[in-house]
């Protein structure tokens, strides 16, 4: 309400205070004009009474001239001046309104341009994201094919639970276990394929990884037991691929590659 009252009281504030019109009510304006004409006529009558006798035409002409001279300032002061100032104030208000409309149109156009640019940027980002997702999908499929066809056993396991979360299809070709069987066996899989001595060496490697450097590959050679209970020599490599916030090893990648002497034995066993 205060702002509204201020805006109302400030209407036409561009007009200097000394030139602002003081609007009169119609009744008051009528009374002022009537009183001016009346007193003007009285003054004229007194003036004419003091002048030499004139013809009716000259007297009427003098009466009209003098009453016009007397009434005109009142008409200018109380009628014409407020009208002129009102027109000026209205023109100023209309000009301000035009400027505001221009500013509003400029802001609308600027905002529209910003929204159009933002939408275009969003479409480009969506397109880039789709392209990236498509590329990641293809890369993931390519990596899966490489891992699946790798001539070695590749497994990812939790160093704490010793359970595999991933193992490639080569485990079936080299050790005779299906990937599903390995996942179901959990920690028992490593105890089953390692001899007691080699399992102790395997656990020692896992312990050494806690103090190891990221990316460092720990290697050893162990005898692994296949599903048909035959033992074959494999080269084992371990590397940490994820650590906890406390920098402790969590997920480990294991690669088991048959030694050159074991390849013929494994191939013969599989062919049998």
């Amino acid at each position: 309400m205060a702002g509204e009252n201020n805006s109302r009281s400030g209407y036409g504030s561009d007009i200097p205070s000394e030139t602002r019109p003081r609007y009169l009510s119609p009744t008051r304006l009528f009374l002022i004009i009537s009183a001016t004409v009346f007193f003007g006529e009285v003054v004229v009558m007194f003036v004419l009474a003091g002048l030499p006798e004139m013809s009716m035409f000259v007297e009427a002409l003098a009466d009209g001239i003098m009453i016009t001279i007397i009434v005109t300032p009142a008409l200018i002061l109380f009628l014409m001046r407020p009208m002129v100032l009102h027109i000026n104030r209205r023109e100023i208000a209309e000009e301000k309104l035009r400027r505001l409309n221009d500013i509003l149109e400029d802001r609308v156009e600027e905002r529209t341009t910003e929204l159009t640019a933002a939408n275009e940027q969003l479409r480009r980002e969506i397109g880039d994201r789709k392209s990236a997702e498509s590329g990641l999908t293809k890369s993931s499929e390519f990596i899966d094919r490489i891992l699946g066809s790798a001539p070695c056993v590749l497994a990812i396991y939790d160093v704490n639970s010793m359970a595999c979360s991933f193992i490639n299809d080569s485990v079936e070709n080299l050790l005779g276990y299906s990937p599903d069987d390995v996942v179901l066996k959990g920690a028992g899989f490593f105890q089953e394929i390692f001899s007691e001595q080699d399992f102790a060496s395997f656990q020692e490697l896992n312990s050494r990884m806690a103090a190891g450097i990221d990316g460092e590959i720990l290697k050893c050679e162990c005898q692994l037991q296949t599903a048909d209970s035959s033992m074959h020599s494999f080269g084992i490599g371990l590397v940490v691929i994820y650590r906890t916030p406390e920098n402790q090893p969590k997920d480990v990648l294991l690669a088991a590659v048959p030694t050159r002497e074991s390849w013929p034995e494994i191939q013969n066993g599989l062919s049998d």
Side-chain angles (χ1 to χ4, degrees):
M1 293 297 293
E4 184 178 355
N5 293 336
N6 291 336
S7 63
R8 289 178 179 175
S9 61
Y11 181 73
S13 58
D14 292 340
I15 301 175
S17 58
E18 64 273 7
T19 61
R20 291 180 187 169
R22 296 179 180 177
Y23 292 109
L24 303 176
S25 66
T27 302
R28 187 178 178 186
L29 183 62
F30 173 75
L31 292 176
I32 291 175
I33 299 300
S34 300
T36 302
V37 173
F38 173 76
F39 287 110
E41 185 62 26
V42 171
V43 171
V44 169
M45 294 301 294
F46 277 109
V47 171
L48 290 177
L51 294 176
E53 185 176 353
M54 296 175 288
S55 64
M56 182 179 296
F57 174 76
V58 174
E59 185 177 350
L61 184 61
D63 187 0
I65 293 174
M66 285 189 288
I67 194 67
T68 300
I69 293 173
I70 294 173
V71 173
T72 297
L75 292 176
I76 293 176
L77 179 63
F78 296 107
L79 185 62
M80 294 299 297
R81 182 172 176 272
M83 290 179 60
V84 171
L85 294 179
H86 175 72
I87 292 173
N88 290 339
R89 188 167 74 172
R90 183 168 182 175
E91 289 177 349
I92 292 174
E94 290 176 351
E95 179 62 24
K96 291 174 66 177
L97 182 60
R98 280 194 294 271
R99 288 199 300 267
L100 289 175
N101 287 336
D102 292 340
I103 293 174
L104 181 61
E105 290 178 357
D106 292 341
R107 290 182 178 178
V108 169
E109 183 177 357
E110 181 181 354
R111 184 58 178 165
T112 301
T113 303
E114 292 177 355
L115 290 175
T116 302
N119 288 335
E120 183 63 27
Q121 178 67 22
L122 182 60
R123 283 195 292 268
R124 286 197 298 268
E125 290 179 357
I126 292 175
D128 294 342
R129 181 174 298 178
K130 289 182 178 179
S131 299
E133 290 177 352
S134 177
L136 287 175
T137 301
K138 292 179 180 179
S139 298
S140 178
E141 293 174 353
F142 177 70
I143 292 173
D144 289 341
R145 288 197 299 270
I146 292 177
L147 293 177
S149 59
C152 62
V153 177
L154 295 175
I156 298 175
Y157 66 93
D158 188 313
V159 73
N160 297 314
S161 66
M162 301 300 291
C164 292
S165 59
F166 166 81
I167 193 161
N168 66 345
D169 293 336
S170 295
V171 69
E172 188 168 4
N173 299 329
L174 298 177
L175 297 178
Y177 297 94
S178 69
D180 293 336
D181 291 339
V182 174
V183 174
L184 291 175
K185 287 178 181 295
F189 172 69
F190 290 120
Q191 293 178 344
E192 183 174 336
I193 64 173
F194 282 103
S195 64
E196 183 176 350
Q197 181 179 356
D198 288 337
F199 186 70
S201 300
F202 176 66
Q203 287 182 315
E204 181 183 355
L205 287 180
N206 284 286
S207 300
R208 286 170 53 192
M209 282 188 295
I213 303 173
D214 285 344
E216 181 183 6
I217 301 176
L218 302 181
K219 302 177 182 179
C220 69
E221 185 172 327
C222 300
Q223 293 290 321
L224 298 184
Q225 180 175 291
T226 61
D228 60 2
S229 300
S230 60
M231 301 296 292
H232 301 283
S233 180
F234 281 77
I236 304 295
L238 302 178
V239 62
V240 178
I241 60 175
Y242 175 73
R243 289 182 179 269
T244 64
E246 294 77 19
N247 201 35
Q248 295 300 313
K250 180 69 168 62
D251 292 331
V252 177
L253 174 65
L254 175 146
V257 182
T259 61
R260 183 176 302 177
E261 296 79 9
S262 297
W263 267 114
E265 299 175 1
I266 294 175
Q267 291 175 348
N268 293 333
L270 292 176
S271 62
D272 294 342

